[in-house]
Amino acid sequence: FFAAQGLFASETLGLAESLTFGALLSATDPVTTLAAFEELNVDPHLFSIVFGESVLNDAVSIVLFHIFAGCIGYSGTLSAIAVQVVTDFIYVFVGSALAGLMFGCFSALLFKHLHLGG
């Protein structure tokens, strides 16, 4: 019902709504591709590359979705919205990279000193 409603009503999406919807659709689910790779006994290196790319793609889609959703209803100029989006993305990117680096170093030290390798 709601999908067909757009055909008969004169509703339009703004820029923020369109970008939010695009970010939502850009997140792909790699489960079927990875399942096919597993059945075909594809090279483990290729499997790891596709898995890593899909995780990164999903993470960027989630970040963009939240950033664009925050712009819905924003009443500033287009340039102000663009500056806000770029600033938010850089903030999340740098924060995530620092958190990943911190947890990665902590995990490496933990596994080094616990001798869990056998």
Side-chain angles (χ1 to χ4, degrees), residues 2-50:
F2 292 110
Q5 186 179 14
L7 296 174
F8 304 111
S10 61
E11 296 180 29
T12 59
L13 293 176
L15 179 64
E17 290 90 357
S18 299
L19 291 173
T20 304
F21 186 65
L24 179 68
L25 290 180
S26 69
T28 57
D29 190 15
V31 173
T32 53
T33 304
L34 295 176
F37 279 4
E38 204 168 304
E39 281 187 30
L40 296 172
N41 294 325
V42 174
D43 181 32
H45 186 65
L46 177 63
F47 185 89
S48 298
I49 290 172
V50 171

Side-chain angles (χ1 to χ4, degrees), residues 19-117:
L19 291 173
T20 304
F21 186 65
L24 179 68
L25 290 180
S26 69
T28 57
D29 190 15
V31 173
T32 53
T33 304
L34 295 176
F37 279 4
E38 204 168 304
E39 281 187 30
L40 296 172
N41 294 325
V42 174
D43 181 32
H45 186 65
L46 177 63
F47 185 89
S48 298
I49 290 172
V50 171
F51 180 76
E53 187 276 332
S54 64
V55 168
L56 182 64
N57 183 34
D58 289 349
V60 170
S61 297
I62 291 168
V63 169
L64 288 177
F65 176 82
H66 285 291
I67 290 173
F68 292 147
C71 292
I72 295 175
Y74 187 77
S75 61
T77 63
L78 184 60
S79 61
I81 292 173
V83 167
Q84 178 189 358
V85 166
V86 170
T87 304
D88 287 348
F89 186 81
I90 290 172
Y91 176 74
V92 171
F93 177 79
V94 170
S96 299
L98 291 175
L101 182 67
M102 183 178 67
F103 283 113
C105 290
F106 175 75
S107 298
L109 287 172
L110 182 70
F111 288 130
K112 178 182 177 182
H113 294 294
L114 287 180
H115 304 292
L116 297 175

